[in-house]
Amino acid sequence: MLMLKFGRWMMYPLLGTALLAQQPEIAAERLQAVPEVDRLAPVPVPEIHAGDSAGLANEPPKNLTISNYGGGPIEGVKDVGLRYLGPGVKVTGDNGLEVFADRVTLDLKAKAATFEGHVSVYQGNALQRGERAVYYYERKFLDASGLEASLGPILLEAGKFTVEERNGQRVYVGENSGITTHDVEDPDYWVRSKKTTIYPGDKIIFNDLKLYAGDTPVFWLPYLSQDLQGEVGYRFIPGSRSNWGPFVLNTYGIMLGGGPDAPAGAADAPWLLSRWHLDLRARRGVGVGVDLLDKKDAANSEITGLGLYFTHDLAPQTTRNGVPRGIVEPERYQVDLKHRMTPHFSSDADWRIDSNLTLLSDEHYLEDFEFNTYKTNPSPDNTIGIYRHDDASLLSLATRFQVNDFYRADTRSPEIAYDRARAPWAGLPFLHEGSTTLGLVGERAADPTRRAVLDPLLELRASDPAAQPLLNQLKGFERQMAEDCIALPLGDPRREAYRTQLLDSSYARFRTYQEFSMPTTIGNFLSISPQAGLGYMRYSMVDGPVSGSERTHLHVGAETSLKFVKALPGYTEPSWGLDGLMHIFQPYSAWSLVSTNDFDPIDPMVDRLTPTTRPRPLNPTRFTAVDELQSWNVLRFGARNRLMTRRDHQSFEWLYLDTYVDAFMKDPEGQRDFSNLYNDMRWQPLPWMSADVETQFPIVSGGSGFNEFSTALRFMPTPDFDFSFGYRILNHHPDLVDSNRVEFRTYNRLNEDWGVGMRQVIELDDGTLEQMEYSIHRNLGNWVGGLGFSRRDNRLQREYGMVLSLTLKDFPSVSLPFHIDQ
């Protein structure tokens, strides 16, 4: 091993050969193996000074260590110096530089080290490879004219790039140059442009870009600024749908704001991500839009910024579900604002101002153009609020209003709320938590429902033949209140109260609830937590014939639990993820008594109960349907079983099972004595296998009157095969539709080049195959291609879809995301 230090020169003997070196340190180093060096066709790049290429350290190496691998000979070269022969030579610099070659010649006159044969130069995220390179250690630069350069994973074309320094960042600039990520001798594709500017780790800017498949140009853009992290750049999704016809969704993203050519992370770096949309749909026409997102708060996925979209719909009457529509104007649009500001009003709390606004052209827009949003949020809220949060409390001032009059919406004009987290109180052994709200609360009916259904229905009696068809168009609480209303005689003043509730209600509401608890542990196995709370509500400024009212509610309760632990160290089975077991058995009970004023259905009411299969919360602090809070007396008792094992030097929950039932001394929702028996289980024995099961069924006195079984299983028996299975059955629920549904999803990688996927959803109750999705994935060398087909049966109408996916390996900015539902 020869270590060179550059500076003052001295003469030292080495292996019988005279050698000039600067303050040398000499030792022998023989390593057992040489790292494999991939061969690439030599593609020269210009002379790059050591430390100047992107990803390299700013300082050139002060020390170079030459290691002769495998015991190859070292020979003297007359009038030159030394030649280190293979099978492999490694040169290491103290700045992270590593050079591998078959041989290296040290020229003491030219003060250069010449590397030959399978040369690879590594430093940081930069790589250069080829057959020959020369490092001039006195001039401190690397002549890489015989090497191809790589900036993981980007490979640069021959002799076309120079290195510049801009604002403290080293930048590659190429004229009439090309790049690729296909790391073979003859790449499948090149991206060439008149000018290419690469900011390593940040972005690439192309001017007059052409995409070549082999030597054939297949695509052109005048300009492209491509983020290497996949945030910006050009993306497109081609496909076909029954209600769209063939389509191509185009998105072009660029960063705005900041200083010119400012690198990522700099104070003046671009901060506004803009995504421009140009969507072509054969049956629906052209759609255009833009999304603007402040990347300074990019960590929150719910903050999507400002979104604008417009399309002149060529077929606005086209429906996905087969239900006929009324008149829908062809001018369809969406305006979204989901923005957050974080002012610094004080150092002891976090403040934020949130805007969540959505303006739509009509009630069918989301169903037609934003499928994923429609599935989870078919009638979006519109809210603006300011929030103060610290470790102990949350203070908010928020307003909610109806922007889209074709959706039913509750309003807050505004509402102020203050919540205290459970915490010790006044130095006493009590814990306190509570909430207080004051606001103007209301609710407005959807205009189409008001005009077509509610206005004519509320003038009828239950016996009128026209009443039932109108009732059939309502659901939920609207139908229940409408039925109660038309059951009253015409002229009854309560009918006007129902009308107000159904159409336009408004009132002022003050509510407070404060609760104290005192958790106590007896020994190491018994926990008791008695609770007591007091609440008050007042309604005033009530619209309609109902006058103001007030209600008080008292809550007392107690939670108790026992804990038994048994160690089972003999249960060890690596194939099932077991490294010993510990069984924790925890029987528990929770008693809750609420006493409050009875309420009349015509009393002001906005925050109501919604149908569910899950048990209601027993603590008033968790009960959100505050306008429908009723007296109850409930005892919930059950047992939790947990099996714990060791994994990665930590405790790991191998199995969890919670079994419980509610006993009603006073049932707030009916005449039950007992609820269903609930079982909630989760099991994750292995990283590649998990199961979740939820069941409930009556055991005494009819229980809740319905049955439910729901399970989800995920299993990956081999690295090439993954499947999941879900099954849910629901029978005889008083509000929800019976269902007997199976969902199956699988993916199988057939070999290194092919993979297939499938998803099916079947409703066994009526034998409907609701969804079918099939996808084929193909490894195309440097690309991954996918083709997906889908069919959805809406019972009244079927729809079909097809989508194409192309993903460029190692270059996420050019990937085409594969959304089968598109």
Side-chain angles (χ1 to χ4, degrees):
M1 177 180 72
L2 172 66
M3 179 177 289
L4 300 179
K5 292 186 177 181
F6 305 117
R8 184 169 51 88
W9 292 86
M10 301 178 66
M11 178 175 289
Y12 278 79
L14 175 62
L15 301 177
T17 303
L19 175 68
L20 287 177
Q22 171 212 8
Q23 299 179 349
E25 299 174 9
I26 304 173
E29 178 181 348
R30 296 188 180 271
L31 303 179
Q32 301 300 318
V34 57
E36 182 179 350
V37 179
D38 296 333
R39 296 200 61 173
L40 282 178
V43 184
V45 295
E47 179 181 282
I48 300 174
H49 290 268
D52 281 357
S53 56
L56 304 183
N58 292 335
E59 293 295 327
K62 297 177 181 178
N63 302 329
L64 280 178
T65 302
I66 303 177
S67 304
N68 195 18
Y69 284 89
I74 305 175
E75 62 183 20
V77 180
K78 184 178 180 181
D79 298 327
V80 175
L82 292 178
R83 176 175 291 138
Y84 288 71
L85 301 177
V89 177
K90 175 185 177 182
V91 176
T92 304
D94 60 359
N95 66 337
L97 174 71
E98 290 184 317
V99 183
F100 296 91
D102 288 345
R103 55 193 175 273
V104 60
T105 300
L106 187 65
D107 189 334
L108 302 180
K109 290 184 177 180
K111 299 181 176 55
T114 302
F115 306 92
E116 297 174 296
H118 301 145
V119 180
S120 294
V121 181
Y122 296 87
Q123 193 170 12
N125 70 336
L127 165 65
Q128 295 167 275
R129 289 187 285 191
E131 291 300 316
R132 186 178 185 274
V134 181
Y135 180 69
Y136 295 91
Y137 50 79
E138 186 175 59
R139 295 165 56 191
K140 300 182 179 61
F141 74 83
L142 178 71
D143 179 1
S145 57
L147 301 181
E148 180 182 67
S150 169
L151 292 172
I154 302 169
L155 305 177
L156 311 183
E157 194 180 10
K160 301 291 183 67
F161 285 85
T162 59
V163 179
E164 301 178 4
E165 183 169 321
R166 299 182 181 180
N167 299 322
Q169 182 184 23
R170 283 159 176 78
V171 177
Y172 279 101
V173 180
E175 301 288 343
N176 297 313
S177 56
I179 67 170
T180 185
T181 61
H182 197 190
D183 193 356
V184 296
E185 183 172 349
D186 296 311
D188 288 345
Y189 84 97
W190 285 95
V191 180
R192 305 185 189 278
S193 63
K194 187 174 182 180
K195 181 178 180 181
T196 304
T197 307
I198 302 177
Y199 296 83
D202 184 8
K203 61 185 176 181
I204 305 177
I205 298 176
F206 302 94
N207 296 90
D208 194 11
L209 173 148
K210 294 179 182 178
L211 174 64
Y212 284 79
D215 295 325
T216 305
V218 296
F219 191 76
W220 173 83
L221 277 177
Y223 174 86
L224 176 64
S225 176
Q226 189 66 59
D227 180 28
L228 292 179
Q229 303 302 319
E231 289 287 347
V232 300
Y234 175 64
R235 299 166 181 263
F236 65 96
I237 302 175
S240 179
R241 290 189 65 89
S242 296
N243 63 326
W244 282 3
F247 65 83
V248 179
L249 308 181
N250 300 277
T251 303
Y252 183 58
I254 58 175
M255 297 298 297
L256 304 175
D261 298 330
D268 60 342
W271 56 271
L272 185 64
L273 172 63
S274 64
R275 290 186 290 256
W276 303 82
H277 304 280
L278 175 62
D279 300 333
L280 310 177
R281 304 178 179 92
R283 296 187 60 187
R284 311 305 284 267
V286 179
V288 295
V290 62
D291 302 325
L292 302 174
L293 174 61
D294 185 350
K295 295 298 292 180
K296 289 179 288 189
D297 192 23
N300 192 332
S301 60
E302 297 179 356
I303 306 301
T304 57
L306 174 65
L308 307 172
Y309 194 86
F310 174 82
T311 181
H312 182 83
D313 196 347
L314 301 179
Q317 304 301 124
T318 302
T319 176
R320 296 181 64 199
N321 54 24
V323 177
R325 296 178 176 177
I327 298 175
V328 180
E329 297 296 332
E331 284 71 30
R332 317 284 298 275
Y333 56 83
Q334 178 180 7
V335 179
D336 269 331
L337 178 62
K338 294 178 173 61
H339 183 61
R340 170 169 294 173
M341 294 186 292
T342 54
H344 300 284
F345 293 143
S346 61
S347 59
D348 59 344
D350 295 325
W351 290 81
R352 71 178 193 269
I353 302 174
D354 285 352
S355 302
N356 184 5
L357 305 174
T358 302
L359 173 65
L360 301 173
S361 58
D362 56 82
E363 60 185 310
H364 303 293
Y365 178 89
L366 295 179
E367 180 185 2
D368 288 347
F369 299 106
E370 294 289 342
F371 314 127
N372 293 330
T373 301
Y374 180 74
K375 287 188 293 186
T376 58
N377 188 19
S379 52
D381 282 336
N382 285 273
T383 59
I384 298 176
I386 180 170
Y387 304 87
R388 178 195 181 276
H389 175 264
D390 58 29
D391 293 337
S393 65
L394 173 64
L395 174 66
S396 65
L397 175 65
T399 180
R400 179 182 297 163
F401 41 90
Q402 186 188 50
V403 172
N404 305 299
D405 58 13
F406 38 80
Y407 293 140
R408 187 176 191 93
D410 62 296
T411 62
R412 305 290 194 269
S413 305
E415 183 176 57
I416 186 171
Y418 181 69
D419 297 285
R420 292 284 301 183
R422 181 178 295 185
W425 183 73
L428 299 174
F430 297 104
L431 299 180
H432 167 260
E433 65 177 317
S435 64
T436 301
T437 63
L438 173 64
L440 296 174
V441 182
E443 189 172 33
R444 296 181 60 84
D447 278 0
T449 304
R450 177 202 305 264
R451 293 191 301 265
V453 181
L454 292 176
D455 282 343
L457 176 62
L458 298 181
E459 300 297 329
L460 302 175
R461 294 172 299 181
S463 58
D464 290 335
Q468 193 59 44
L470 293 172
L471 280 172
N472 291 339
Q473 299 181 49
L474 301 175
K475 56 185 178 180
F477 81 92
E478 283 187 319
R479 175 163 184 154
Q480 182 61 54
M481 294 189 71
E483 288 178 341
D484 293 343
C485 178
I486 63 176
L488 297 171
L490 294 174
D492 191 311
R494 289 175 294 174
R495 290 180 69 110
E496 184 60 30
Y498 279 114
R499 173 185 288 275
T500 302
Q501 289 273 19
L502 284 166
L503 299 180
D504 295 301
S505 65
S506 176
Y507 55 89
R509 183 181 69 191
F510 171 79
R511 176 183 178 271
T512 185
Y513 178 78
Q514 308 298 321
E515 182 178 282
F516 293 88
S517 59
M518 189 173 68
T520 304
T521 300
I522 301 176
N524 295 321
F525 64 96
L526 176 62
S527 297
I528 302 175
S529 179
Q531 305 162 355
L534 181 65
Y536 173 77
M537 296 180 66
R538 179 170 180 80
Y539 300 89
S540 58
M541 302 169 58
V542 180
D543 283 351
V546 178
S547 60
S549 61
E550 58 184 24
R551 303 173 63 194
T552 58
H553 38 272
L554 173 69
H555 170 242
V556 293
E559 297 179 2
T560 62
S561 66
L562 294 166
K563 186 176 181 180
F564 303 96
V565 180
K566 183 176 182 180
L568 304 169
Y571 286 83
T572 301
E573 182 55 59
S575 61
W576 285 100
L578 289 176
D579 183 10
L581 270 180
M582 177 180 292
H583 181 202
I584 302 174
F585 176 62
Q586 188 177 20
Y588 66 90
S589 66
W591 170 61
S592 177
L593 169 66
V594 171
S595 178
T596 186
N597 307 80
D598 294 331
F599 73 92
D600 193 287
I602 64 174
D603 285 344
M605 191 183 309
V606 168
D607 294 319
R608 305 178 181 86
L609 291 170
T610 56
T612 181
T613 63
R614 304 302 299 168
R616 305 290 185 187
L618 298 183
N619 193 310
T621 58
R622 312 290 182 263
F623 195 86
T624 58
V626 294
D627 290 327
E628 209 167 346
L629 179 66
Q630 302 183 61
S631 298
W632 68 59
N633 190 357
V634 183
L635 174 64
R636 179 172 297 168
F637 55 95
R640 301 184 184 97
N641 285 274
R642 302 174 69 196
L643 293 180
M644 310 294 295
T645 188
R646 290 184 296 269
R647 187 168 299 176
D648 299 328
H649 306 290
Q650 295 180 347
S651 295
F652 180 80
E653 186 179 77
W654 193 78
L655 175 70
Y656 173 86
L657 173 64
D658 188 8
T659 302
Y660 56 98
V661 66
D662 289 344
F664 298 100
M665 281 68 78
K666 182 176 178 59
D667 183 6
E669 298 183 51
Q671 302 297 321
R672 296 171 296 177
D673 295 321
F674 291 91
S675 71
N676 287 342
L677 176 68
Y678 298 93
N679 291 279
D680 301 334
M681 187 198 79
R682 60 177 178 265
W683 181 44
Q684 187 174 336
L686 300 163
W688 44 268
M689 186 173 76
S690 63
D692 295 282
V693 178
E694 292 182 357
T695 70
Q696 57 174 304
F697 48 85
I699 56 172
V700 181
S701 303
S704 298
F706 66 93
N707 304 283
E708 182 185 29
F709 176 83
S710 177
T711 184
L713 171 67
R714 180 181 177 271
F715 187 44
M716 190 175 179
T718 72
D720 297 327
F721 183 67
D722 180 15
F723 80 88
S724 60
F725 173 81
Y727 177 64
R728 180 176 185 260
I729 183 170
L730 177 66
N731 285 325
H732 310 303
H733 193 280
D735 299 303
L736 304 177
V737 177
D738 288 354
S739 178
N740 188 2
R741 174 174 293 196
V742 175
E743 180 173 351
F744 182 76
R745 186 193 303 264
T746 182
Y747 178 78
N748 188 18
R749 189 177 67 172
L750 303 176
N751 52 46
E752 293 298 324
D753 294 327
W754 289 94
V756 294
M758 179 187 70
R759 177 175 179 260
Q760 292 189 344
V761 179
I762 307 172
E763 178 53 65
L764 300 178
D765 237 18
D766 58 5
T768 302
L769 182 55
E770 293 185 340
Q771 293 184 50
M772 289 192 303
E773 298 174 0
Y774 300 96
S775 59
I776 303 173
H777 305 265
R778 174 72 164 97
N779 185 351
L780 301 173
N782 200 60
W783 297 77
V784 175
L787 184 64
F789 302 90
S790 67
R791 192 200 77 157
R792 183 190 300 269
D793 190 340
N794 298 314
R795 292 174 175 81
L796 297 178
Q797 177 176 302
R798 291 178 180 176
E799 61 174 340
Y800 299 86
M802 187 218 20
V803 65
L804 172 67
S805 165
L806 288 174
T807 302
L808 181 58
K809 291 181 182 178
D810 298 324
F811 205 168
S813 52
V814 187
S815 66
L816 307 179
F818 187 19
H819 299 300
I820 182 68
D821 192 48
Q822 295 283 24

